[in-house]
Amino acid sequence: MRELGALGYGVTIINAATTHEERASSLNWSKTDDLDLEAISQVIIQNKGTENRLPTGKHQQLRTLTRARRKEVQKRAKVKVEIRTLMDKIWREYQGYVRVENNRPSKTLLFSDFWGKSSLFFMENYPHPEDILSLSHEDIRNLSVDHNLKLRESTIEGLLYVARESLSRPKDEVRAELLLLNLALKNIGYLNESVKLLNKEIEQVLLQTEGRLLLSVPGIGVTTAAEFYSEVGDISHFDHAGQIIKKAGTNPIVIQSGGLEDFYGRISKQGNKHLRFIVYTIGKGLAQHNKDLRPYYEELRNRGKHQRKAYIALGNKFIRIAFAMLKNRMVYETKDQSYQYLKMMKDKLRYTKMSTFYEIVTAA
């Protein structure tokens, strides 16, 4: 397909279900090469296929990186569920315990961040109540100092209290779970490092493209901007934002029957599933972090729109904004007097030196 495009041929993707329906419409249930070619011809004549232009250059690099990152993040999420399940079997109270004060029960967390440095340290080295009970208060404090865990006195006391009161099975009975936990923790460390490396590369590549303009939008981070920019592809291939919305499959279907007035139904979902996912994610992020666009989301909700539909609608609105920004090579415009687009952009960068960032912006 890429070679055909390089030679100047237009490439059209035809869904197999479309040609199947075309053959069925002729009431001919035979299947031969000649009938297949006839069905394909009819699909092309009726414009039922989808024109496809494979990404090249930086678009291709970003798409490869962002899709790989999403897979790693999904793997990490599954491993995290596995770790929580194993800790439930090894030491259930580690994820939170109930304490009764003034005859009122309340749930208390040992660690504010279950995936933080301190929590991971104890899961790796002292995952069972018997391990904690082998240590004194002073021993745990020394561990905190030696490994820079920054444990509070209340956390140390909580660890010892939960270990004493735990109803966990003896350590010998959970040897298999402890082994699996150790392997899962090593896996989570590897995945964290993989995601970090991908994040760094994505940021560097994005800054070399016009996609960096999207960083000027409040509520749009580096990964989100890179995913959107790479899945959309070359903006010069589109004449208006509606084409991108249709490519994402987030365009609502018009429904009309008999004397009833037409109305918009569900979205078509007949486009790029990766782009559709990121449009939904963008809508969700903008609803929370963009002061200019949040009123639009609230208006939709007040009109009775479901939360997910409102997110999609807001994502579609962003597509129109992004199309104008990329087409005209302009940054985000807002009525907020305190808004500074350069500060907004550089605050989102984690791996790029400020001197490098300003050189890129100046050169552009």
Side-chain angles (χ1 to χ4, degrees):
M1 188 183 295
R2 194 178 299 279
E3 291 299 322
L4 289 172
L7 293 172
Y9 291 99
V11 179
T12 300
I13 295 179
I14 298 174
N15 193 318
T18 305
T19 55
H20 174 76
E21 290 179 357
E22 191 62 38
R23 283 198 307 270
S25 66
S26 63
L27 301 180
N28 188 341
W29 302 107
S30 300
K31 186 182 186 303
T32 65
D33 290 343
D34 290 340
L35 290 174
D36 284 343
L37 286 173
E38 183 180 350
I40 291 172
S41 301
Q42 289 298 323
V43 168
I44 294 174
I45 291 171
Q46 297 173 37
N47 196 28
K48 291 183 178 179
T50 303
E51 184 180 0
N52 184 67
R53 299 185 185 181
L54 293 176
T56 57
K58 299 300 181 184
H59 287 97
Q60 181 185 0
Q61 290 181 37
L62 275 179
R63 179 177 291 189
T64 301
L65 290 169
T66 53
R67 289 188 179 182
R69 180 190 179 278
R70 187 180 300 173
K71 288 181 180 178
E72 293 300 286
V73 170
Q74 290 171 347
K75 290 179 187 176
R76 184 173 63 180
K78 290 180 179 179
V79 175
K80 284 185 175 181
V81 172
E82 180 185 352
I83 289 174
R84 284 190 178 273
T85 303
L86 288 169
M87 285 305 296
D88 267 348
K89 296 177 180 179
I90 297 168
W91 186 2
R92 178 182 293 271
E93 297 86 358
Y94 188 85
Q95 299 188 56
Y97 61 97
V98 176
R99 243 179 150 161
V100 179
E101 296 181 358
N102 299 324
N103 295 323
R104 298 185 64 180
S106 61
K107 184 175 181 179
T108 305
L109 298 177
L110 278 176
F111 301 96
S112 58
D113 183 6
F114 183 78
W115 304 108
K117 180 179 179 180
S118 301
S119 177
L120 289 174
F121 173 82
F122 282 99
M123 281 194 284
E124 290 171 358
N125 301 282
Y126 305 93
H128 194 272
E130 293 179 17
D131 297 326
I132 296 296
L133 292 177
S134 67
L135 303 172
S136 66
H137 191 288
E138 189 65 26
D139 291 334
I140 297 177
R141 185 187 294 114
N142 290 337
L143 285 173
S144 175
V145 173
D146 294 342
H147 298 276
N148 194 27
L149 303 179
K150 299 179 181 178
L151 295 179
R152 298 177 181 179
E153 287 296 314
S154 59
T155 303
I156 297 175
E157 293 172 1
L159 267 172
L160 292 169
Y161 169 79
V162 172
R164 287 194 303 267
E165 301 296 325
S166 177
L167 300 176
S168 301
R169 289 183 292 165
K171 188 174 180 179
D172 288 340
E173 294 184 14
V174 291
R175 289 176 61 87
E177 286 82 356
L178 288 168
L179 175 60
L180 293 176
L181 176 65
N182 183 261
L183 294 174
L185 288 170
K186 289 181 179 179
N187 197 6
I188 204 77
Y190 167 77
L191 290 170
N192 283 336
E193 190 62 28
S194 297
V195 171
K196 183 178 178 180
L197 290 173
L198 286 168
N199 285 341
K200 184 176 181 180
E201 186 66 20
I202 287 170
E203 182 175 299
Q204 292 176 355
V205 177
L206 178 66
L207 289 177
Q208 299 173 35
T209 70
E210 298 297 332
R212 64 179 175 273
L213 295 170
L214 300 177
L215 296 178
S216 64
V217 181
I220 302 296
V222 172
T223 303
T224 306
E227 284 191 286
F228 178 82
Y229 183 75
S230 65
E231 295 298 341
V232 168
D234 191 342
I235 201 68
S236 65
H237 295 167
F238 303 95
D239 298 321
H240 55 84
Q243 293 172 315
I244 302 177
I245 294 175
K246 189 172 182 180
K247 179 178 181 178
T250 54
N251 54 306
I253 296 174
V254 180
I255 300 175
Q256 190 275 331
S257 178
L260 297 176
E261 292 186 6
D262 56 345
F263 63 93
Y264 289 111
R266 62 176 180 82
I267 60 174
S268 68
K269 293 187 179 181
Q270 293 182 344
N272 181 328
K273 66 178 182 179
H274 301 285
L275 180 56
R276 183 162 59 253
F277 174 81
I278 194 61
V279 168
Y280 174 84
T281 304
I282 285 173
K284 188 175 182 179
L286 294 177
Q288 298 173 2
H289 304 294
N290 193 298
K291 295 179 181 179
D292 298 319
L293 298 177
R294 180 169 177 78
Y296 177 68
Y297 166 78
E298 292 174 343
E299 178 188 346
L300 292 173
R301 294 288 285 140
N302 292 335
R303 283 163 44 190
K305 292 289 185 183
H306 190 279
Q307 189 178 56
R308 289 194 293 270
K309 290 184 178 180
Y311 288 154
I312 289 291
L314 190 54
N316 285 343
K317 192 174 185 68
F318 169 79
I319 288 177
R320 296 185 178 92
I321 294 172
F323 176 80
M325 291 173 60
L326 296 173
K327 202 76 169 178
N328 301 309
R329 300 183 64 187
M330 55 189 288
V331 296
Y332 180 71
E333 294 182 353
T334 176
K335 295 179 181 179
D336 186 357
Q337 298 296 324
S338 62
Y339 171 81
Q340 298 178 1
Y341 78 91
L342 283 178
K343 184 178 185 304
M344 173 68 66
M345 295 172 71
K346 71 181 182 65
D347 286 348
K348 296 175 181 177
L349 303 178
R350 299 177 59 186
Y351 306 100
T352 306
K353 294 181 179 179
M354 291 303 101
S355 57
T356 304
F357 167 69
Y358 285 118
E359 285 178 8
I360 294 173
V361 174
T362 304

